[in-house]
């Protein structure tokens, strides 16, 4: 069923609440809207305060949620200062498409970023958004070795 605008916000609110209550470490968001929603913004801020890493796909025309300050913005290519993490990733197409077709874009890159964030949390439960970004940028573990 197609959700109306109110249904989309309600579904997203419920999804974020579910993530908070079930102990999620990472929330991956491969969608975009033209504007934010106050209740959703509050939930993103709460998740961030609890150390849950939030990643969102970059969209040049639809700024939310990737421009929210608590969210790590991901794209498959460097665009500008709005992108926190660039992963030049391509994903295989569905089985219904031409064999070998690839999808380039921010959504596959966001899925990989979420996986990296989950690995970081498995390595050290203290990883949060700021630590994750810092370690990705500088490539150092807490013990001084290269990598996460």
């Amino acid at each position: 069923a197609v959700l109306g605008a109110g249904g989309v916000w309600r579904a997203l609110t419920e999804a974020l609440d579910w993530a908070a209550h079930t102990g999620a470490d990472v929330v991956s968001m491969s969608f975009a809207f033209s504007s934010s929603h106050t209740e959703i913004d509050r939930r993103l801020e709460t998740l961030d305060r609890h150390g849950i890493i939030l990643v969102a796909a970059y969209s040049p025309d639809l700024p939310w949620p990737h421009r929210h300050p608590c969210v790590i913005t991901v794209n498959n290519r460097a665009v500008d200062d709005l992108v926190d993490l660039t992963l030049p990733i391509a994903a295989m197409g569905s089985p219904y498409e031409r064999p070998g077709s690839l999808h380039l874009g921010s959504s596959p890159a966001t899925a990989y970023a979420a996986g990296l964030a989950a690995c970081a949390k498995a390595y050290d439960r203290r990883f949060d958004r700021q630590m994750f970004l810092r370690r990705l940028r500088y490539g150092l573990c807490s013990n001084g070795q290269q990598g996460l």
Side-chain angles (χ1 to χ4, degrees), residues 53-72:
I53 298 173
L54 308 166
V55 296
Y58 171 80
S59 173
D61 301 321
L62 301 169
W64 194 89
H66 76 83
R67 286 194 188 166
H68 191 284
C70 294
V71 170
I72 297 171

Side-chain angles (χ1 to χ4, degrees), residues 1-141:
V2 176
L3 298 173
V8 170
W9 294 121
R10 186 172 48 258
L12 185 52
T13 300
E14 291 172 3
L16 293 173
D17 287 346
W18 180 86
H21 292 100
T22 58
D25 292 324
V26 180
V27 172
S28 178
M29 299 173 280
S30 288
F31 52 81
F33 298 102
S34 59
S35 62
S36 66
H37 187 275
T38 304
E39 286 301 313
I40 305 298
D41 285 343
R42 284 189 195 130
R43 280 168 173 79
L44 293 176
E45 291 156 9
T46 299
L47 293 171
D48 183 62
R49 271 195 311 277
H50 286 94
I52 297 171
I53 298 173
L54 308 166
V55 296
Y58 171 80
S59 173
D61 301 321
L62 301 169
W64 194 89
H66 76 83
R67 286 194 188 166
H68 191 284
C70 294
V71 170
I72 297 171
T73 302
V74 182
N75 199 17
N76 67 320
R77 64 186 190 290
V79 178
D80 53 32
D81 291 340
L82 294 175
V83 174
D84 297 309
L85 178 59
T86 302
L87 294 172
I89 302 287
M92 295 302 294
S94 78
Y96 304 106
E97 296 179 72
R98 182 173 45 88
S101 64
L102 296 176
H103 291 272
L104 303 173
S106 58
S107 291
T110 301
Y112 276 86
L116 287 172
C119 289
K121 290 290 269 192
Y123 173 76
D124 187 339
R125 301 294 308 157
R126 296 173 297 170
F127 264 93
D128 61 8
R129 172 180 43 90
Q130 293 173 340
M131 184 184 287
F132 181 63
L133 283 172
R134 191 169 45 250
R135 296 286 166 80
L136 285 173
R137 287 184 180 130
Y138 300 110
L140 296 175
C141 292

